[in-house]
Amino acid sequence: MSATLAVAAAQAKTKTSNYARIYWPFVVPAGLLVFAIIIAPWVFTLIMSVHEWKVGEDPAFVGLENYIRLFNDSRFQWAILRTVYFTTLAVLFPMVLGIAAAVCFHKNFPFRGLARTIFILPMMATPVAVALVWTMMFHPQLGVLNYLLTSIGLPASEWSYNAVSVIPTLVLVETWQWTPLVMLIVLGGLASLPQDPYEAAKLDGASSWQMFRHITLPLVWPHIIVALVIRTIDALKAFDTIFVISNGGPGTASETLNIFLYQTAFAYYNMGYASAITVVFFILIMLVSLVLFSARQKTTFQ
Amino acid sequence: MKMRGLPGKIGFALSVFALISPAILVFLWMLSLAFKNEVDNTAFPPVFIPNPPTLDNFRAVFEKNNFFHYAWNSIIVSFTATGLALLLGVPAGFGIAKSKASKAAALIMIARVTPGLSYLIPLFLIFQWLGLTGTLTPIIITHLVITVPIVVWVMIGFFEGLPAELEEAALVDGATIWQAFRFVALPLARPGVTVAMILSFIFSWNNFIFGVVLAGRTTRTLPVAVYNVLTFEQISWGPLAAAALLVTAPVLLLTLLMQKEIVAGLTAGGVKGG
C-alpha cells in the first residue's frame, strides 16, 4: 500500500517537474550566448559608468561623477529634448498611417498581395541604401523633392540641410520606413477579429464608420498598443538614417541621444562617460515601455 | 465590409495607391539615378527616365572599389550569423515554448529593446583586448545579438502552435526528448525555420551600426562600405545610387519572392534588428 503510494507520489512528482525540467538543456547553449554577449556586457557597462576611462588610458574610479556631469551637460539635455521631439512625431505619423493602411489591406481587392509587398519594402530595404537615396532627394538645389514642390507651386525646403527642418525631415524618412511594421501588427489583429459583431451591427443599420469606431477599434486595441510600444522603442533608438542623412547636424540640430552616445564613445573614445549615457538611455527606454504596457493593462478602449 | 458602388471603389483604389506610392517613388528614383549618366543626374529640372540607360555607374562601382571583397564579407557575416543563430535558437525556442518559460522569453526581448550601441562599447573593448579587431569574428559575434533573438522569438511562436500530442506519442513509444525534437517537432516546424532564417538573414545583411564601429579597412560589410568608401571618395550620385541598389537588391528580391513567410514572421514577432 505504502509502496504504491510512494510510486504514485514519485510519478506525480516527475509529472509536475517533467515540463519544467526536461527542456532546459535545449535552452542552455543559447542562454550561455545571451549571457556572454548581452548580460555580461551590461554588467561591464554598469561598472565602466562609475569610472573615468578613455581608450588607451587606465580606468580610474570616480563614483557617480559621470552621472552628475551628465545631468549638468547641456548637450545631453538638448539631446534628450530632441529625442523626445523626434520620437513624438516618429510615433504619431506611423501609428495613424499604419492603422489606416491596416484597415485598407484588411479588405479584399485585386493585387492585394502585391500591393502589401510593395508597401512593406521600405522596412525591409537596407536602411543605409535608402538613406543615401533620400539624401540625394533632399539636396536643396538639385534634389527631386524641391523640384516637385516648386512645380506644384509650393516653396522649396532646405530639408536636412537646415537646423529647423532637419528633424521633421528625418521623421519623414522614419515614417516612410516604419509605417509598414505598424500596419503588419495591426493587420494581424484585424485578421483575428470575430465576424459576428459586424453582422449584428449591420442588421442594426450601423454605418461603416460606426462599426470601425465601436467594434474594430476596441477589439484591435491590444494590437495597437503593442505596435505603439514597439514603434516608440524603435524611434527612441533610431540611428542608421539619422547617422547617414544628417549625422546629428547641421551643427548639433539633430543630435539625438543615440547619436550623442555614438559621438561620445567612438569619436571621443570617452568610454566611462558613454557608459553612463548608456545606463540612463536604457533606464529611459525601460520606463517608457513599462508606462506604455501598464497603460495597456489599465485602459480598455471606450 | 462592402464598398458602396463605383465612387467608393475608386476612392478606395486611390487610397491604396496613395499608400504604396511613396515606396514606389523612392525605389524608382533609386533606379533612375543608378541608370542615368552623370550629366542627367545633376540636371535641373531633373531627368526622370534614363535615356539612354547606361551601365557606367555600375562599372564605376566595380572598377574603382573592392565591391566584391565587401560583398564577400557581407555574405560570410550574414550566413555565419544566421547559421549559428539557427543552431542555437531553434532548440532554445523549442525549450522555451514547451516549458512555458515566459521569463526566458522576456530576457530575450531585452535584446530587442536595448539600443545596439549599448552592447558595442563593452564588446568593442573586449575585442580590442582579445586582439580580434581587424578580423570578421567580432562582426559575426555582434550580429548574433540581432539574429539569435529573432530566431528564438519566431520559433517560440511556431513550436507553441504545434499540437503536443504527436511528441507525447513519440515519448510514450520510448523516444528520448531529443529524438522527439529532432524527428517529430523539427520537421513539423520547418516553415517556422524558413521564416526565422529569412528574417535573421535580412536584418543581419542590413545591419550598419555594428560594422561601422567594429570594421576595419578590409572587414567592412556592404552597408558600411557604401557609406564609408563611396560617400567620401566620390561624391557623384550615379555610382552611389548604383551601389545602394546593389546592396539592397538581394533583400528586396528576397522580400518579393518570400512575402508570405516574411509577413507571417513579422506579424508574429514584431521583429526588427539593431
Side-chain angles (χ1 to χ4, degrees):
Chain A
M1 181 69 187
S2 65
T4 43
L5 264 181
V7 169
Q11 275 175 343
K13 201 177 176 191
T14 46
K15 257 239 155 91
T16 48
S17 55
N18 210 356
Y19 289 104
R21 292 243 176 102
I22 262 178
Y23 293 99
W24 66 261
F26 287 92
V27 189
V28 167
L32 285 177
L33 181 88
V34 166
F35 179 82
I37 61 175
I38 296 173
I39 316 269
W42 256 111
V43 176
F44 196 49
T45 303
L46 271 178
I47 296 170
M48 279 196 299
S49 74
V50 290
H51 287 80
E52 165 77 46
W53 189 2
K54 290 204 172 177
V55 170
E57 293 168 17
D58 283 334
F61 181 78
V62 291
L64 292 176
E65 204 177 280
N66 282 329
Y67 291 96
I68 295 164
R69 201 177 121 202
L70 191 56
F71 284 103
N72 294 317
D73 186 344
S74 67
R75 201 165 159 191
F76 173 74
Q77 291 160 358
W78 274 107
I80 294 255
L81 282 178
R82 280 186 213 107
T83 308
V84 170
Y85 176 38
F86 173 82
T87 303
T88 310
L89 294 180
V91 169
L92 185 70
F93 291 113
M95 286 303 294
V96 172
L97 288 171
I99 293 169
V103 172
C104 272
F105 283 112
H106 185 54
K107 290 178 178 158
N108 253 322
F109 58 89
F111 303 108
R112 181 174 70 160
L114 181 67
R116 195 184 55 188
T117 309
I118 292 171
F119 190 74
I120 65 168
L121 280 183
M123 69 168 284
M124 304 311 291
T126 311
V128 173
V130 289
L132 287 171
V133 175
W134 278 106
T135 312
M136 293 184 251
M137 292 168 65
F138 288 141
H139 196 283
Q141 280 84 46
L142 303 170
V144 68
L145 287 180
N146 270 352
Y147 170 76
L148 294 176
L149 279 186
T150 47
S151 64
I152 55 169
L154 292 171
S157 167
E158 288 190 295
W159 303 103
S160 56
Y161 298 85
N162 177 299
V164 177
S165 59
V166 62
I167 286 184
T169 301
L170 294 169
V171 168
L172 171 72
V173 178
E174 185 84 359
T175 304
W176 178 83
Q177 202 182 358
W178 291 115
T179 299
L181 188 59
V182 176
M183 186 279 281
L184 283 177
I185 297 170
V186 178
L187 188 63
L190 289 172
S192 65
L193 292 186
Q195 283 308 303
D196 325 5
Y198 293 99
E199 277 152 29
K202 244 180 251 168
L203 285 178
D204 290 345
S207 72
S208 43
W209 166 251
Q210 282 172 322
M211 285 196 279
F212 175 76
R213 171 69 182 74
H214 295 287
I215 303 174
T216 311
L217 215 47
L219 285 174
V220 291
W221 196 242
H223 291 264
I224 292 177
I225 296 289
V226 168
L228 178 73
V229 174
I230 288 175
R231 182 82 282 278
T232 309
I233 291 166
D234 287 345
L236 281 172
K237 58 180 202 161
F239 182 81
D240 292 8
T241 43
I242 304 179
F243 188 77
V244 172
I245 292 174
S246 73
N247 198 4
T252 55
S254 60
E255 191 179 75
T256 56
L257 214 42
N258 220 357
I259 301 284
F260 178 53
L261 173 58
Y262 178 87
Q263 298 288 349
T264 312
F266 299 108
Y268 310 135
Y269 289 103
N270 204 339
M271 293 303 181
Y273 198 44
S275 299
I277 301 173
T278 306
V279 173
V280 175
F281 196 6
F282 181 74
I283 292 172
L284 185 79
I285 288 184
M286 279 316 194
L287 276 180
V288 169
S289 7
L290 282 178
V291 166
L292 290 172
F293 263 119
S294 69
R296 177 199 183 180
Q297 309 273 303
K298 276 181 200 144
T299 64
T300 47
F301 193 86
Q302 299 296 316
Chain B
M1 280 179 270
K2 258 194 174 166
M3 275 155 288
R4 281 174 217 117
L6 197 61
K9 270 186 189 155
I10 291 174
F12 182 73
L14 282 177
S15 52
V16 170
F17 185 73
L19 281 172
I20 62 172
S21 54
I24 295 178
L25 283 176
V26 173
F27 290 113
L28 281 185
W29 192 240
M30 189 186 223
L31 280 174
S32 166
L33 285 169
F35 286 99
K36 277 185 303 198
N37 59 46
E38 208 47 44
V39 179
D40 282 353
N41 266 336
T42 50
F44 198 92
V47 177
F48 285 91
I49 295 163
N51 185 28
T54 168
L55 289 174
D56 285 351
N57 297 324
F58 294 93
R59 228 167 271 138
V61 170
F62 288 115
E63 277 169 10
K64 289 183 191 154
N65 304 283
N66 248 335
F67 193 85
F68 284 114
H69 178 76
Y70 300 130
W72 184 240
N73 284 347
S74 261
I75 289 169
I76 290 180
V77 168
S78 297
F79 275 94
T80 315
T82 303
L84 287 175
L86 288 175
L87 215 58
L88 298 169
V90 174
F94 177 75
I96 293 173
K98 290 297 158 189
S99 56
K100 303 187 170 55
S102 54
K103 273 184 195 142
L107 200 65
I108 298 273
M109 260 327 252
I110 291 187
R112 169 70 180 74
V113 166
T114 34
L117 272 177
S118 52
Y119 315 111
L120 268 174
I121 298 168
L123 288 172
F124 173 80
L125 295 170
I126 292 166
F127 292 137
Q128 260 200 340
W129 182 61
L130 291 173
L132 285 172
T133 42
T135 67
L136 286 176
T137 316
I139 303 174
I140 293 170
I141 293 174
T142 46
H143 275 232
L144 292 175
V145 173
I146 309 164
T147 56
V148 169
I150 291 178
V151 172
V152 173
W153 206 248
V154 171
M155 291 320 295
I156 290 176
F158 267 86
F159 283 122
E160 275 176 346
L162 289 185
E165 287 85 356
L166 288 168
E167 284 159 58
E168 270 155 27
L171 291 176
V172 167
D173 287 348
T176 63
I177 194 92
W178 169 254
Q179 286 167 326
F181 166 69
R182 174 67 189 78
F183 298 108
V184 180
L186 193 57
L188 287 172
R190 189 156 291 164
V193 176
T194 311
V195 170
M197 186 171 70
I198 296 168
L199 288 178
S200 140
F201 179 83
I202 289 179
F203 285 111
S204 166
W205 183 271
N206 283 350
N207 183 274
F208 173 65
I209 195 168
F210 294 149
V212 92
V213 171
L214 292 169
R217 209 158 244 296
T218 56
T219 55
R220 285 177 184 135
T221 53
L222 273 181
V224 183
V226 168
Y227 176 74
N228 272 346
V229 181
L230 288 154
T231 34
F232 289 124
E233 287 171 18
Q234 49 194 50
I235 341 127
S236 40
W237 285 7
L240 195 53
L245 182 62
L246 287 169
V247 171
T248 196
V251 170
L252 296 183
L253 284 178
L254 206 55
T255 309
L256 289 170
L257 292 175
M258 313 293 276
Q259 56 109 353
K260 239 184 210 148
E261 286 79 2
I262 287 174
V263 168
L266 290 170
T267 312
V271 175
K272 186 208 158 198

